[in-house]
Amino acid sequence: MPRVRSGLARTAAVLAGGLAMAVLAASPAFADTSQSSASALQISLLGGGLASSGTASATNDGTTESISGNQNPPLGVLGGQTVITAGVLAQNVRAFNDGTSAACAGVLGVGGTVTIGAGGSCLVTPGSAVSLNLGTNGLATIALVADAIYSSCTATSSPSATGTTSLVNARITSTLLGIETTLLNLPANPLPNTGLSVPGLIDLTLNNQTSSGVGQLSVTALNLTALGGALAGVTIGTSSCGANAVAPPIPVIPLAGAPLALGIGALAAGTTGGFSLYRRRRAAARS
């Protein structure tokens, strides 16, 4: 009899332990969530007027990506402004199932394209030169001219985030009587938060980077503040990535129900053992 009881105890323990492992381990894999957003261009006028390309955004709950907003808005969304009259607005976003996200945003010349490639890389084909009219200085017209101005960022759920800015053949010019003069050449890959100016005309911040916390980063390719005229400022290429996160797993059997599930397992083990003991006694009686 002691051996029978010992065997029953071992059987109950094995079954109950196995069920406990199922309760704790039989849950879905961690679901990495991700997010990003992008805005190509904002133009601020004195008196509070604003022209904006809007914002595109992407989110992923770990299984499904959702994208809202126009990633390639037409210039018509800027209304009747005269700062930019030809070019391409790009605000591309992705949020992947693996907890990574990416964004690219900016302004390109006619024929330019922007896509997000493998690993969240920003793939840009510059077009012809795009010109933004910044106003006048006396009889001269001041402009920002470039083949492309854009920012990009990526983020992971580790968490981490990185961002860069690229300016292709970008410069501030003054045109008088049809003759263009370069006032300031802008660096192709400026360091974060680079400040430049054309004294008395404009102030610039290139590759402006800010973060709300670990794993989140916002990058603006170019912030321009005009020091006179009707134009107050121009913001080109704002990309934001993260914060992305690893979501907690959801057990197949909720933890609140685990004690009941384990009790049922133990009862099942006891019932099985009792039935085995009954069969042994009948076999002994027959002999």
Side-chain angles (χ1 to χ4, degrees):
M1 183 64 70
R3 290 181 179 177
V4 174
R5 289 178 178 173
S6 176
L8 291 177
R10 285 196 298 270
T11 300
V14 169
L15 290 176
L19 183 57
M21 292 296 292
V23 170
L24 297 176
S27 59
F30 286 90
D32 292 0
T33 63
S34 57
Q35 59 185 324
S36 65
S37 64
S39 179
L41 178 65
Q42 287 193 352
I43 300 170
S44 303
L45 304 176
L46 292 179
L50 177 67
S52 173
S53 64
T55 300
S57 60
T59 59
N60 197 309
D61 62 4
T63 58
T64 304
E65 180 184 40
S66 299
I67 295 178
S68 62
N70 193 339
Q71 297 191 77
N72 297 106
L75 288 180
V77 302
L78 299 174
Q81 54 76 41
T82 58
V83 174
I84 179 171
T85 57
V88 174
L89 303 177
Q91 43 194 42
N92 294 43
V93 288
R94 291 299 308 270
F96 301 101
N97 292 4
D98 61 358
T100 62
S101 59
C104 305
V107 175
L108 301 86
V110 174
T113 61
V114 176
T115 58
I116 295 178
S121 58
C122 190
L123 307 177
V124 176
T125 301
S128 59
V130 60
S131 179
L132 282 73
N133 185 350
L134 305 179
T136 60
N137 181 33
L139 298 178
T141 299
I142 309 301
L144 168 62
V145 181
D147 295 343
I149 298 174
Y150 62 94
S151 70
S152 64
C153 64
T154 59
T156 72
S157 56
S158 56
S160 65
T162 60
T164 61
T165 286
S166 296
L167 296 88
V168 182
N169 297 326
R171 57 201 184 275
I172 304 297
T173 66
S174 172
T175 302
L176 177 63
L177 301 176
I179 300 174
E180 180 180 287
T181 302
T182 297
L183 301 178
L184 179 67
N185 284 310
L186 304 184
N189 302 110
L191 295 174
N193 305 311
T194 295
L196 297 172
S197 69
V198 177
L201 292 179
I202 56 174
D203 287 332
L204 296 159
T205 301
L206 309 180
N207 194 17
N208 184 45
Q209 298 194 9
T210 60
S211 175
S212 62
V214 177
Q216 193 282 327
L217 184 67
S218 295
V219 185
T220 297
L222 183 149
N223 270 323
L224 181 151
T225 302
L227 303 180
L231 180 67
V234 174
T235 299
I236 299 177
T238 299
S239 303
S240 297
C241 294
N244 303 342
V246 177
I250 303 175
V252 173
I253 301 176
L255 294 180
L260 176 60
L262 294 176
I264 294 173
L267 178 61
T271 302
T272 303
F275 180 67
S276 175
L277 175 61
Y278 171 71
R279 290 183 61 184
R280 290 182 184 179
R281 285 178 175 175
R282 288 195 61 183
R286 288 195 186 114
S287 62

